[in-house]
Amino acid sequence: MKKFLKPVAFLSLSVLTLISCSNDDENSNSDQVIQAEELPASAKTFVTTYFPNTTYTRVEKNNQVEPDGTLYEVNLSNGFEVDFSSEGNWLDVDGQTQELPQGIVPESIANYVIQNYADLQMIGIDTESTEYEIDLSNGLDLYFTLAGEFVREENN
């Protein structure tokens, strides 16, 4: 009888483990693709203002707000990716290798980059709770206060 109970117990534990793993996978991956019309008005205005000749290729709403505040992740037909908060404020704009449109980067930061890194392009900007991060085309990251004052640079 003991020989019979050990395999049954092992098999039961194995099945329970597999079931619990598959449920975890389903719950953790419940971000949903939505229509662009479902974005907050300010997010749609941002896209039409800075990317007027592009279309949405994918709009995703996260199942919960990420630590950086991102709720919506938007991919555009020109290769740009933009993350928005639940209110529709942009948090991150990533041009991959393309230069950011004028006006996204605060003027004081744009002026600093033009004066000190004239041969490089700004290809990404990320707003965080206490600073901006600017990605340059050579892989260098520049950090600024929210008031636009230069803090430091880091190699990516």
Side-chain angles (χ1 to χ4, degrees), residues 19-101:
I19 290 171
S20 79
C21 287
S22 68
N23 286 341
D24 288 344
D25 290 343
E26 289 173 17
N27 292 335
S28 66
N29 193 16
S30 59
D31 296 347
Q32 56 184 305
V33 174
I34 63 170
Q35 297 298 312
E37 295 78 33
E38 297 176 63
L39 286 169
S42 55
K44 292 185 286 190
T45 299
F46 179 88
V47 171
T48 57
T49 300
Y50 294 106
F51 306 101
N53 299 318
T54 191
T55 58
Y56 296 91
T57 58
R58 183 174 179 89
V59 179
E60 194 171 296
K61 183 177 181 183
N62 298 328
N63 61 340
Q64 61 186 12
V65 176
E66 294 180 1
D68 69 352
T70 297
L71 182 63
Y72 300 98
E73 298 178 24
V74 174
N75 295 336
L76 301 173
S77 60
N78 60 0
F80 276 84
E81 297 175 3
V82 186
D83 293 345
F84 294 99
S85 69
S86 58
E87 297 83 22
N89 300 319
W90 69 269
L91 299 169
D92 182 32
V93 182
D94 186 356
Q96 311 299 318
T97 59
Q98 303 174 76
E99 188 169 17
L100 295 173

Side-chain angles (χ1 to χ4, degrees), residues 1-14:
M1 185 69 159
K2 285 185 181 180
K3 287 183 180 183
F4 175 73
L5 289 177
K6 283 184 182 181
V8 169
F10 177 76
L11 183 60
S12 298
L13 284 174
S14 297

